[in-house]
Amino acid sequence: QVQLQESGPGLVKPSQTLSLTCTPSGESITTNYYYWAWIRQPPGKALEWMGAIASFGRTYYNPYLEGRISISRDTSKNQFTLQLSSVTPEDTAVYYCVRSFIITYGGRHHHAADYWGQGTQVTVSS
């Protein structure tokens, strides 16, 4: 029902800005309740939540990426975009866009993803 498609360059040079766009279908990114997020997985490592933009437009970022990450949206195109500046080879990963929602467990809030894009490989190399 809900499908997400990532798009953007698969190769980025060090110090440049990584830019990816996600185009969901079957659901508006302005629909109440949901958060539209980016998650990545470096080779041999665990999934890492990067950040999200809520249906009402507020952004949330992983503090480890704060200062480098920016998530924006174009509601007319039903798209949201990830920008990660000053990339290094450690930013090489498979990048996923997802639909998510907030759950509370143990007195803390978490983002839970229910629909995922297929993922896109981004390599940072000169």
Side-chain angles (χ1 to χ4, degrees), residues 1-125:
Q1 185 176 9
V2 178
Q3 299 181 9
L4 301 94
Q5 178 67 58
E6 303 94 345
S7 62
L11 180 64
V12 183
K13 295 182 178 180
S15 80
Q16 293 186 337
T17 296
L18 182 158
S19 183
L20 296 173
T21 296
C22 183
T23 304
S25 62
E27 184 66 270
S28 171
I29 61 174
T30 62
T31 298
N32 289 341
Y33 185 73
Y34 295 112
Y35 298 74
W36 303 89
W38 290 94
I39 297 171
R40 68 179 180 180
Q41 186 170 36
K45 298 182 179 180
L47 293 166
E48 179 185 30
W49 181 84
M50 301 183 69
I53 186 164
S55 61
F56 51 91
R58 183 175 177 180
T59 54
Y60 305 81
Y61 299 132
N62 186 324
Y64 289 98
L65 301 174
E66 191 76 51
R68 292 204 297 137
I69 187 171
S70 178
I71 297 175
S72 59
R73 67 180 184 175
D74 185 339
T75 57
S76 68
K77 297 180 179 180
N78 203 48
Q79 295 178 329
F80 62 103
T81 298
L82 167 71
Q83 291 187 303
L84 186 67
S85 65
S86 303
V87 297
T88 72
E90 293 190 4
D91 292 310
T92 294
V94 177
Y95 287 74
Y96 301 91
C97 60
V98 305
R99 189 183 78 169
S100 63
F101 56 95
I102 300 296
I103 61 172
T104 302
Y105 183 78
R108 304 181 69 177
H109 299 301
H110 304 268
H111 285 229
D114 57 358
Y115 287 95
W116 294 62
Q118 64 182 354
T120 186
Q121 171 71 43
V122 179
T123 300
V124 179
S125 176

